[in-house]
Each structure stands twice: as C-alpha cells, then as structure tokens.
Amino acid sequence: MGCCSGRCTLIFLCSIQLTVVLERQVFDFLGYQWAPILVNFFHIIIVILGLFGTIQYRPRYIVVYIVWTALWVTWNVFIICFYLDVGGLTKESDLLTFNISAHHSWWSERGPGCVRREMTQPRVGTVDSQSYISVMGCFMEYQYIEVLHSGTQILIALLGFVYACYVISAITEEEDSFDFVGGFDPFPLYHVNEKPSHLLLKPMYLST
C-alpha cells in the first residue's frame, strides 16, 4: 500500500515537472536562450524516463531520474546565481546564448505590467539614427521572474528526489520478500513429487 501511494505521488510530481518545464521551454525559445533550451530538453527526456520506470516498476530508470534530478537542482541553482549576479556571474552576459547572440530573457521586455517603447536617437553628424528599447512600469523585474521559475523547479525536483528514493526502496523490499517465498525460484518449494518406480503400472496378460 505504501509503495502504491509513493508511486502515485511520484507520477503526480513527474507530471507537474513536465508541465512546468514545457512552459519554461516555450519562453526560453522565445528569448533564444540556447543553453537552457538544451538542458530543458534533456530534463524532459529524463522525466519521461522516470515516469515510465515508475509506472512499469523499472528501478534502473528511476535511478537515472534520481541522478539527473541532482544535476537539475545544480543547474537551477546556477541560473539563480546568474540572474542575481552572484559569484562573478552577471545577467548582462551572453553566457546562456553561447555568445551567439545578444538576446536576453523574454521576460526582460515583456514581463507583467511592462510597457515596451522603441525610441530613436539620431547620430551626431550623420543622417542615420539608432533605435533603443525602453521598458518601464514592470510589476516585477525579469530576473526575479527567472529566479521564481528556478526556485519552483528546485522545490518540485527535491520532492521528486525524495519520493523516487522511497519508491526504489519499496520496490527493492517487495522484490526481496518475493524472492524469499520462492517467487522467482525455478524449483518452487511446493512441487508434486514424482511417483516411485515401484508404483508404476505394469501390463497384465490374461491366460486363456
């Protein structure tokens, strides 16, 4: 019963993880954040693998999910440090785009309440002009939105890690108890004894 409830909880947590990471993947695509896109893709695959292992009683798949969850938590801690400018990191760098482009988080210009205005400033001595984008009135700065996303991912991942370990333990105990009663024994304890040779029927010949 405990294993069943643990499996159901882990299945529920994996489903939530898939929903949240797919939402995050969409906004990372819109912001051209190539490093998060790649990591999110691997996370989706591993969560699906863990979900399959939980449903089909495959402990090895759940172990892969556990190992990846630890890496996933580490990645999200890095993202938090990146957007909060901790440890020499800066959110203004192009690290998350592999220095391919100068794009930043999609939320930097389209956060809740943000008003995006394009301003044109003429260059001195030339007829050309240069455009600037001004963002004002945001209810929450984009870096805090990204931190909130990563914090949510860490919380769900930690819960998934705990329940995955519990499910592995429960499945292992069930297999051990099943082996103890001879569930996988090719020669079970209770078997039909062969008839002794002296009880075998012999043909009878009638004399006329």
Side-chain angles (χ1 to χ4, degrees):
M1 185 66 180
C3 179
C4 180
S5 61
R7 285 177 61 248
C8 293
T9 304
L10 183 56
I11 291 172
F12 176 71
L13 289 173
C14 288
S15 301
I16 293 179
Q17 277 187 302
L18 284 177
T19 303
V20 175
V21 75
L22 285 173
E23 177 265 341
R24 187 177 188 177
Q25 184 78 316
V26 169
F27 290 110
D28 285 338
F29 262 114
L30 293 174
Y32 302 97
Q33 304 295 292
W34 303 117
I37 288 171
L38 185 62
V39 177
N40 292 340
F41 176 74
F42 281 110
H43 182 61
I44 292 171
I45 293 177
I46 299 299
V47 171
I48 293 175
L49 189 66
L51 187 61
F52 175 79
T54 305
I55 296 173
Q56 297 294 326
Y57 289 90
R58 302 292 179 87
R60 293 182 179 178
Y61 294 165
I62 304 178
V63 170
V64 174
Y65 168 81
I66 291 173
V67 174
W68 171 258
T69 298
L71 298 176
W72 177 248
V73 170
T74 304
W75 165 256
N76 281 279
V77 171
F78 166 77
I79 292 295
I80 291 175
C81 294
F82 177 82
Y83 281 106
L84 294 181
D85 299 336
V86 177
L89 299 171
T90 173
K91 58 182 175 293
E92 301 300 330
S93 70
D94 300 328
L95 184 62
L96 297 184
T97 59
F98 297 131
N99 295 320
I100 298 176
S101 63
H103 289 89
H104 297 287
S105 172
W106 184 84
W107 298 102
S108 61
E109 299 177 4
R110 300 170 181 84
C114 293
V115 178
R116 183 173 179 269
R117 295 179 180 176
E118 187 171 346
M119 305 175 64
T120 303
Q121 180 179 358
R123 294 182 179 180
V124 179
T126 63
V127 295
D128 297 332
S129 61
Q130 188 173 2
S131 297
Y132 294 91
I133 296 176
S134 175
V135 180
M136 299 177 296
C138 297
F139 296 146
M140 181 182 294
E141 295 294 332
Y142 75 94
Q143 63 266 27
Y144 300 121
I145 297 177
E146 294 289 354
V147 167
L148 184 61
H149 272 91
S150 294
T152 304
Q153 293 285 353
I154 290 174
L155 177 61
I156 300 174
L158 290 176
L159 291 174
F161 182 89
V162 171
Y163 275 95
C165 292
Y166 170 74
V167 170
I168 286 287
S169 176
I171 292 177
T172 304
E173 289 180 1
E174 286 186 0
E175 290 180 350
D176 292 341
S177 61
F178 196 60
D179 287 339
F180 180 75
V181 298
F184 294 105
D185 191 357
F187 302 100
L189 294 175
Y190 303 99
H191 58 276
V192 180
N193 293 325
E194 295 181 358
K195 293 182 178 180
S197 58
H198 66 276
L199 294 179
L200 294 177
L201 296 178
K202 297 182 180 181
M204 296 180 63
Y205 301 95
L206 298 177
S207 58
T208 57

